[in-house]
Amino acid sequence: MKQQANQIRPGWVIENNGKQWLVTKINIIQPGKGGAFIQVEMRDVNNGIKTQERWRTADTVEKLMSEEHDCQYLYKDGSNLIFMNVENYDQFEIPEDVMGEQAAFLQDNMAVTVNFIEGKPLSVNLPPHVILTVAETEPALKNQTATSSYKPAVLENGIKTTIPPFVNAGEKIVVSTADSSYVERAK
């Protein structure tokens, strides 16, 4: 199915130069002079080789149709992540490097959706937010207001982010899985 390049999203599988590519990251660039373009980081589905491609926003790309199944993350086995299809209880594995940095957000029994092409699992879509504990951060300063000054923090899964000054180590926060950013305190 033809799609405009500016519609590309991470997790899509596209066909380019006769190969199937899994989109891992996108960046829309609007230079000061000339038209905008989209830079796409993608990985070859068959051999795992990564590449980057640029398209003008008006260009079209061929999006491959994929099946999306509700699945559950079970556990990590070496360098593989084990999932279960909740519809038929089939278990399958996906190499951890397929997910990249987002694998750190996986939690036992987490509900996810997995994209399949021709029966082969290709990508995992995480929920938009997860609740994590702040492992370490600087202590809050007395009389410091909640202004736009954020402080660095390390979460329980090892991800580094920035948090407001009123959040302390040991507190649970809601984190965006898209960019590892702080959303709010967990209720």
Side-chain angles (χ1 to χ4, degrees):
M1 169 176 27
K2 293 277 187 193
Q3 295 282 335
Q4 278 194 304
N6 64 347
Q7 300 296 315
I8 295 175
R9 297 290 173 255
W12 279 23
V13 179
I14 61 174
E15 187 170 315
N16 187 37
N17 297 330
K19 294 183 178 181
Q20 295 176 343
W21 299 90
L22 174 67
V23 176
T24 55
K25 195 184 277 187
I26 61 162
N27 190 14
I28 296 178
I29 300 170
Q30 298 176 334
K33 196 173 190 179
F37 59 91
I38 184 166
Q39 183 162 335
V40 179
E41 189 175 295
M42 50 194 186
R43 184 179 50 80
D44 188 321
V45 169
N46 296 318
N47 58 24
I49 294 174
K50 290 184 178 180
T51 188
Q52 289 188 356
E53 191 78 38
R54 285 185 177 185
W55 287 287
R56 292 185 315 239
T57 54
D59 291 344
T60 58
V61 295
E62 184 70 28
K63 178 185 179 191
L64 299 177
M65 296 306 295
S66 62
E67 296 177 25
E68 201 170 83
H69 292 282
D70 292 330
C71 296
Q72 183 177 23
Y73 170 69
L74 299 177
Y75 59 92
K76 181 178 174 178
D77 183 25
S79 64
N80 291 320
L81 305 169
I82 310 301
F83 294 87
M84 176 183 69
N85 186 328
V86 297
E87 298 157 12
N88 58 15
Y89 304 106
D90 285 344
Q91 291 186 14
F92 57 93
E93 60 185 41
I94 296 177
E96 186 176 12
D97 61 342
V98 166
M99 287 193 66
E101 297 169 0
Q102 288 202 317
F105 290 113
L106 286 172
Q107 299 169 348
D108 290 346
N109 302 318
M110 177 183 271
V112 297
T113 56
V114 178
N115 294 324
F116 289 80
I117 288 196
E118 298 171 359
K120 182 180 175 186
L122 291 180
S123 66
V124 178
N125 300 318
L126 296 173
H129 302 105
V130 294
I131 296 175
L132 295 168
T133 304
V134 177
E136 55 185 77
T137 187
E138 301 166 358
L141 299 174
K142 194 173 184 179
N143 298 329
Q144 187 173 13
T145 60
T147 61
S148 62
S149 62
Y150 278 50
K151 61 183 180 180
V154 178
L155 304 174
E156 65 182 287
N157 60 358
I159 297 284
K160 294 179 180 176
T161 188
T162 57
I163 58 175
F166 56 82
V167 177
N168 296 311
E171 289 188 52
K172 291 191 179 289
I173 61 171
V174 178
V175 179
S176 168
T177 56
D179 59 3
S180 306
S181 63
Y182 168 87
V183 176
E184 64 183 357
R185 273 186 171 159
K187 294 178 174 57

